[in-house]
């Protein structure tokens, strides 16, 4: 019997309790690596090699973007990935940078579980979303290793904005009879079970639209009690408040301190918080009762909150009567009041048990170039920071991250079991910085979901494959993502962007 097995049960329980992650005052950001405009390779395979670190280890686009976000003052990223390889890369690179990750399982909004639309990352015919989410989570844990997962992933979300109240006949709910609370609690319980089976105590909860927590009906309140009771005890209660979308003037959109003497503007962030936790602690106005599903001391997380910097707003409540006010200046003012480091900001000074995730790291133009939905980024789609005040450190960061990447495309080396060393030399056309990529391979395929690594190439790049035999080719042009090669390597100009060795 091991030493641990001899310990009394109460000591083991105490050890787990003291090691639980403290979510209070967490400042993180929602992050998607596939944020480029158009149907481009950089979106379709959202992990690719872009250079080497100081030790010569190949580094990815994910590493460079997390490095930029860490410099901006964020300790945690939450993502919405659907593939095992992208989750593994985010977790591994966050771990390397000392950051934390909030993992979100794919549990879509629907009346009850149903077969996965498309393909589950872990194939199984007719598999429902809940078992697929379990299988995917298990595969991610296996890929990164239990220790790295345990050190890095602080929370698992069983989906977001996926509650359907009884009587909601609007797609995708289509549910005139009962709510989908059984489906949601089943997802939470299933993911908890998978984590426990893996020897992990990572907490599980989910994220909801703000109205589910802020202005619920009696029926929704009862469902929220059921849902909150299914969550792990240390997991935050999470919602997605957007004062911008309600047309709250930016000056009062976060809070109007002090809480105890100023009535908080309706639909402001402070108003949303006091409507959930009550107005007694911390003392706040207007008076509000604590919601019965909220437990005092439990962190209330804004899992998404942000302010669009441009775009049309017809889909938002603020559009009528208005005004919606998307702009970089307003977004910066919102974030400065929310989390600017070294100031009496809302997260640090309000007195609430609070965590926030800014929505979002990078613009997603594929959501619509003219819609505000594509313009919530703190940085644009090419990793250019919009303003100093958008990020906690309140300055323009030095990291360039993905700047210039959209000028390139992705190369795949398809191997036939012949070991080789790949050397790429090129210049980033946007930054003017010389870039070298060196990587060695046994020439054998990797995991089935990411068989061959992909490398970022710019026009003019020189590609050398050292092995038996060696060869060199150059990139003559890149047009619509298609690379034209010349040289002695077996890199056919067939628009597949492959070299064979």
């Amino acid at each position: 019997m091991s030493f641990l097995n001899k310990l009394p049960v109460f000591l083991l329980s105490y050890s787990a309790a003291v090691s639980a992650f403290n979510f209070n005052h967490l400042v993180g950001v929602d992050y998607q690596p596939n944020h480029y405009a158009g149907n481009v390779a950089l979106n379709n395979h959202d992990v690719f090699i872009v250079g080497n670190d100081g030790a010569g280890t190949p580094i990815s686009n994910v590493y460079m973007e997390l490095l930029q976000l860490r410099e901006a003052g964020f300790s945690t990223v939450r993502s919405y990935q659907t593939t095992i390889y992208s989750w593994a890369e985010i977790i591994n690179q966050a771990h390397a940078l000392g950051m934390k990750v909030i993992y979100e399982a794919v549990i879509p909004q629907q009346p009850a579980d149903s077969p996965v639309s498309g393909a589950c990352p872990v194939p199984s015919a007719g598999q429902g979303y809940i078992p697929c989410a379990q299988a995917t989570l298990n595969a991610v844990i296996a890929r990164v290793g239990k220790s790295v997962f345990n050190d890095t992933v602080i929370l698992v979300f069983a989906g977001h904005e996926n509650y359907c109240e009884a009587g909601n006949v609007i797609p995708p709910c289509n549910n005139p009879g009962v709510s989908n609370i059984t489906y949601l609690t089943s997802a939470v319980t299933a993911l908890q079970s998978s984590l426990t089976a893996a020897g992990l105590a990572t907490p599980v909860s989910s994220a909801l639209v703000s109205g589910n927590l802020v202005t619920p009906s009696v029926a929704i309140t009862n469902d929220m009690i059921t849902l909150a009771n299914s969550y792990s005890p240390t997991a935050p209660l999470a919602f997605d408040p957007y004062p911008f979308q309600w047309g709250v003037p930016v000056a009062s959109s976060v809070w109007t301190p002090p809480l105890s003497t100023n009535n908080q503007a309706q639909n402001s962030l402070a108003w949303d918080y006091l409507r959930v936790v009550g107005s007694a602690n911390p003392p706040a106005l207007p008076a509000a009762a604590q919601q019965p599903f909220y437990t005092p001391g439990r962190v209330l997380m804004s899992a998404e909150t942000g302010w669009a910097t441009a775009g049309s707003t017809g889909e938002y409540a603020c559009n009528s009567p208005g005004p919606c006010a998307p702009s970089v200046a307003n977004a910066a003012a919102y974030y400065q009041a929310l989390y600017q480091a070294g100031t009496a900001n809302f997260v640090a000074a309000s007195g609430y048990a609070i965590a926030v995730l800014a929505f979002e790291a990078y613009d997603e133009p594929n959501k619509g170039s003219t819609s505000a939905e594509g313009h919530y980024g703190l940085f644009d789609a090419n990793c250019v920071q919009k303003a100093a005040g958008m990020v906690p450190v309140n300055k323009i960061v030095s990291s360039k991250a993905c700047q210039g990447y959209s000028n390139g495309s992705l190369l795949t080396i398809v191997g036939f079991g012949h070991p080789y060393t790949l050397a790429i030399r090129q210049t980033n056309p946007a930054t003017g910085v010389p870039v070298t990529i060196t990587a060695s391979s046994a020439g054998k395929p990797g995991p089935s979901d990411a068989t061959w690594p992909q490398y970022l190439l710019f026009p003019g790049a020189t590609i050398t494959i050292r092995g038996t035999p060696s060869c060199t080719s150059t990139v003559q042009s890149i047009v619509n993502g298609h690379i034209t090669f010349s040289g002695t390597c077996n890199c056919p100009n067939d628009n597949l962007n492959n070299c064979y060795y």
Side-chain angles (χ1 to χ4, degrees):
M1 181 180 290
S2 72
F3 173 73
L4 280 178
N5 286 337
K6 295 178 182 178
L7 287 175
V9 172
F10 74 88
L11 282 180
L12 290 174
S13 299
Y14 177 75
S15 175
V18 297
S19 63
F21 184 84
N22 182 5
F23 291 94
N24 197 20
H25 295 169
L26 179 148
V27 175
V29 63
D30 295 304
Y31 166 60
Q32 286 284 76
N34 45 336
H35 52 73
Y36 301 92
N39 182 23
V40 296
L42 279 65
N43 285 335
N44 298 335
H45 191 94
D46 49 15
V47 176
F48 46 91
I49 305 302
V50 299
N52 296 83
D53 64 14
T57 303
I59 55 176
S60 70
N61 58 310
V62 170
Y63 176 89
M64 294 301 294
E65 290 172 352
L66 293 184
L67 188 67
Q68 184 179 59
L69 296 174
R70 187 184 70 170
E71 185 185 349
F74 295 106
S75 64
T76 301
V77 293
R78 174 264 195 112
S79 195
Y80 312 84
Q81 294 305 294
T82 58
T83 63
I84 297 164
Y85 73 84
S86 55
W87 268 123
E89 185 67 11
I90 290 171
I91 293 168
N92 280 327
Q93 299 313 323
H95 182 261
L97 291 166
M99 300 176 74
K100 302 300 182 185
V101 171
I102 295 174
Y103 177 102
E104 181 164 313
V106 179
I107 304 293
Q109 186 182 37
Q110 55 183 353
D113 202 11
S114 65
V116 174
S117 176
C120 178
V122 183
S124 178
Q127 188 167 213
Y129 279 97
I130 293 176
C132 175
Q134 290 181 277
T136 303
L137 177 60
N138 289 335
V140 170
I141 294 169
R143 184 76 60 87
V144 303
K146 175 182 170 182
S147 177
V148 169
F149 190 96
N150 186 57
D151 289 345
T152 311
V153 179
I154 57 174
L155 178 65
V156 171
F157 274 151
H160 76 282
E161 298 188 359
N162 53 5
Y163 172 69
C164 293
E165 70 272 23
N168 185 347
V169 296
I170 301 172
C173 289
N174 298 318
N175 194 12
V178 297
S179 77
N180 69 346
I181 194 64
T182 299
Y183 162 61
L184 299 187
T185 56
S186 296
V188 171
T189 302
L191 292 167
Q192 289 168 332
S193 175
S194 293
L195 290 162
T196 299
L200 295 163
T202 314
V204 181
S205 64
S206 62
L208 300 148
V209 296
S210 60
N212 295 155
L213 301 187
V214 175
T215 55
S217 66
V218 172
I220 292 175
T221 295
N222 289 333
D223 277 347
M224 293 301 103
I225 293 171
T226 301
L227 185 58
N229 285 341
S230 75
Y231 291 164
S232 304
T234 60
L237 195 64
F239 67 156
D240 295 347
Y242 281 97
F244 160 73
Q245 295 181 6
W246 290 97
V248 183
V250 69
S252 55
S253 60
V254 176
W255 66 326
T256 307
L259 293 171
S260 59
T261 57
N262 289 313
N263 272 299
Q264 302 305 303
Q266 185 173 353
N267 296 316
S268 67
L269 201 58
W271 187 85
D272 285 346
Y273 267 76
L274 69 87
R275 292 279 304 181
V276 177
V277 308
S279 58
N281 186 23
L285 294 174
Q290 176 187 297
Q291 296 287 358
F293 47 77
Y294 178 75
T295 304
R298 187 171 216 163
V299 169
L300 181 57
M301 173 183 283
S302 294
E304 289 183 13
T305 190
W307 197 286
T309 57
S312 60
T313 56
E315 66 266 48
Y316 301 143
C318 63
N319 199 59
S320 179
C324 297
S327 73
V328 171
N330 284 345
Y334 180 77
Y335 285 119
Q336 285 173 322
L338 179 62
Y339 58 39
Q340 182 182 333
T343 68
N345 61 69
F346 185 67
V347 173
S350 66
Y352 291 113
I354 184 174
V356 298
L357 304 176
F359 186 84
E360 59 184 328
Y362 303 105
D363 279 349
E364 293 188 73
N366 285 354
K367 288 184 174 180
S369 59
T370 61
S371 168
E373 283 293 303
H375 296 277
Y376 276 92
L378 311 174
F379 300 77
D380 70 15
N382 293 308
C383 297
V384 177
Q385 188 175 340
K386 295 179 180 179
M390 302 289 285
V391 302
V393 296
N394 196 38
K395 66 179 182 181
I396 299 295
V397 300
S398 61
S399 173
K400 303 300 182 186
C402 73
Q403 291 179 29
Y405 291 4
S406 60
N407 293 303
S409 195
L410 300 184
L411 165 71
T412 302
I413 307 292
V414 179
F416 296 97
H418 307 297
Y420 65 86
T421 296
L422 172 68
I424 299 171
R425 288 176 173 78
Q426 57 190 341
T427 298
N428 185 316
T431 65
V433 175
V435 179
T436 299
I437 301 174
T438 303
S440 296
S441 174
K444 297 179 180 179
S448 59
D449 64 331
T451 308
W452 304 103
Q454 296 192 309
Y455 304 89
L456 179 65
L457 289 186
F458 296 119
T462 298
I463 306 160
T464 300
I465 303 177
R466 301 190 186 103
T468 306
S470 297
C471 64
T472 298
S473 286
T474 59
V475 175
Q476 297 299 302
S477 65
I478 299 176
V479 178
N480 296 325
H482 301 308
I483 303 171
T484 299
F485 302 94
S486 67
T488 58
C489 295
N490 183 11
C491 306
N493 293 317
D494 55 5
N495 294 336
L496 296 179
N497 295 355
N498 292 339
C499 292
Y500 301 88
Y501 187 82

